[in-house]
Amino acid sequence: MANIKDIAKKAGVSVTTVSRVLNNHPYVSEDKREAVLRVMEEFNYQRNINAVHLSKGETLLIGVVVPFTNHPYFGQLVEGIANEAMKNNYKLVLFQTNYEEDREIEALKMLQHKQIDSLIICSRICEWDVINQFTEYGPIVLCEDARNHNVSSTFIDHYMSFSNALEYLHNKGHQKIGYCIGRKTGANSRQRGKAYADFLKRIDEPYKEEFIFYECLHFEHGEEVVRRLSNMDNPPSALLVTSDFAAAGIVTSCRENGIHIPDDLAIMGFDNQPIAKIMHITTLEIPLVQMGRQLLLQAIDGEKHTHEEISVKLIERQTV
């Protein structure tokens, strides 16, 4: 494959002139420009875009870390990120981690090796001591409250939103409230767990571990939740579910098992996914596409560490 030295020799010009033609430099005579272009066409010369970007110190690539690609929550985040990336002429490199630390570190190492310009982590598995080792290599943006760290973030105040949701259910007459969540670990999960424990203290209710349901991410997990509820002598009268799809699975399984919603069990979801509207599930609306756009803008503007808190909105329907 020909290089610019070959083109310069064949066209009878200097390498500098070829470089100027490739970069549309104005100070090249028309006859030399035409000679270079003819030789480029003859050699079917293609620019090495990676080399061009490397010379400019940028790749125009932004890494996006998600634990799963088949969950609507992360799908909407990526939609917002991708839409804003298109507007700003960036492309995305998607990393699916399945919450495996080594996979997240692979993404961080791509930032270290300048293979991407910045990295957005939509849900983190690495501890802060790991993340902090890579902040010097480029902008890192997280989808959690990271105001005390050397990164940017767009986040929901999960402690406050969870507390408000629990108070809402309590004001509807519920004392025995449980909740369903995706995983035990993670900053957002810890905030929700603290909000729940503090809420129980405020209403003088005992903490019951059996009222907490982990690994509730997808529709099919609702069946297992309802099975456990059916085996309890004194089940909760309301569930706060951090995924609308899991909430929809619970509602469906309740109907199949003769459990009346909301008389026997009240259900409140999170995110306001389309399935919540279809199944008339009360939920907290999180503007995920908007969050994705903001994450991308922070990844581009990496010089400043900014933190953007996103508000949630109650959407009342028939399940409480």
Side-chain angles (χ1 to χ4, degrees):
M1 182 180 294
N3 56 38
I4 63 172
K5 290 182 179 179
D6 299 325
I7 293 170
K9 183 177 180 181
K10 179 76 173 179
V13 298
S14 67
V15 170
T16 300
T17 298
V18 176
S19 178
R20 285 175 175 172
V21 172
L22 288 171
N23 290 286
N24 295 315
H25 199 284
Y27 302 117
V28 180
S29 65
E30 196 58 36
D31 58 334
K32 288 183 178 180
R33 185 184 302 276
E34 288 179 1
V36 170
L37 292 174
R38 280 197 303 270
V39 174
M40 286 174 59
E41 185 176 357
E42 179 184 338
F43 286 169
N44 192 27
Y45 176 78
Q46 301 294 324
R47 299 177 76 189
N48 185 336
I49 296 299
N50 288 336
V52 172
H53 287 161
L54 186 62
S55 69
K56 295 180 178 179
E58 61 181 10
T59 66
L60 297 181
L61 298 175
I62 292 179
V64 181
V65 172
V66 293
F68 317 108
T69 55
N70 64 344
H71 195 283
Y73 178 96
F74 298 108
Q76 285 192 287
L77 273 180
V78 172
E79 178 186 344
I81 293 168
N83 289 343
E84 200 62 36
M86 284 183 60
K87 291 180 186 177
N88 290 275
N89 297 317
Y90 279 83
K91 292 181 175 62
L92 303 181
V93 179
L94 192 64
F95 302 89
Q96 179 175 320
T97 65
N98 295 334
Y99 284 127
E100 295 175 18
E101 186 174 356
D102 287 347
R103 293 179 182 270
E104 192 165 292
I105 291 174
E106 285 177 13
L108 289 162
K109 285 186 175 179
M110 283 193 70
L111 180 68
Q112 178 183 12
H113 297 147
K114 307 302 181 185
Q115 294 170 286
I116 53 178
D117 293 337
S118 53
L119 185 65
I120 298 170
I121 302 178
C122 295
S123 188
R124 173 175 61 90
I125 186 63
C126 288
E127 296 294 336
W128 278 113
D129 60 343
V130 175
I131 299 291
N132 290 335
Q133 294 174 34
F134 294 89
T135 55
E136 65 180 289
Y137 300 115
I140 298 175
V141 187
L142 279 89
C143 194
E144 64 179 80
D145 187 352
R147 284 175 288 190
N148 296 323
H149 297 276
N150 196 29
V151 298
S152 292
S153 63
T154 291
F155 63 95
I156 300 295
D157 186 334
H158 285 285
Y159 180 92
M160 187 57 65
S161 62
F162 218 65
S163 297
N164 291 341
L166 292 164
E167 288 291 349
Y168 172 81
L169 291 171
H170 186 240
N171 291 336
K172 287 283 185 177
H174 297 284
Q175 286 285 121
K176 298 182 297 177
I177 304 172
Y179 76 95
C180 304
I181 199 163
R183 58 176 179 148
K184 291 183 179 181
T185 59
N188 295 339
S189 297
R190 286 192 292 270
Q191 285 187 30
R192 287 164 165 171
K194 187 176 187 309
Y196 182 67
D198 291 347
F199 166 75
L200 293 178
K201 289 179 182 178
R202 285 198 301 274
I203 67 170
D204 198 26
E205 276 288 313
Y207 186 98
K208 295 183 178 180
E209 185 66 32
E210 63 270 25
F211 280 12
I212 304 174
F213 302 82
Y214 298 104
E215 305 299 328
C216 292
L217 287 166
H218 302 287
F219 185 92
E220 57 269 24
H221 295 148
E223 184 176 346
E224 172 62 19
V225 171
V226 174
R227 185 194 66 77
R228 284 177 53 187
L229 289 171
S230 299
N231 290 329
M232 290 183 186
D233 294 329
N234 188 22
S237 64
L239 283 180
L240 181 53
V241 188
T242 60
S243 162
D244 282 335
F245 272 78
I250 293 169
V251 170
T252 299
S253 191
C254 282
R255 290 171 179 169
E256 292 172 350
N257 286 275
I259 300 172
H260 298 286
I261 304 290
D263 296 335
D264 298 331
L265 180 67
I267 298 292
M268 186 173 183
F270 262 81
D271 300 344
N272 197 28
Q273 296 284 348
I275 197 169
K277 184 175 182 180
I278 293 168
M279 298 191 67
H280 308 289
I281 297 172
T282 292
T283 186
L284 285 179
E285 182 177 75
I286 299 178
L288 294 169
V289 175
Q290 176 191 337
M291 288 181 66
R293 292 193 184 104
Q294 179 63 27
L295 288 165
L296 192 282
L297 291 173
Q298 288 174 307
I300 294 173
D301 185 24
E303 295 299 319
K304 303 173 183 177
H305 295 138
T306 59
H307 304 280
E308 184 78 18
E309 182 177 343
I310 303 295
S311 299
V312 302
K313 182 172 69 173
L314 174 67
I315 307 295
E316 293 187 89
R317 298 193 179 104
Q318 297 173 4
T319 53
V320 295

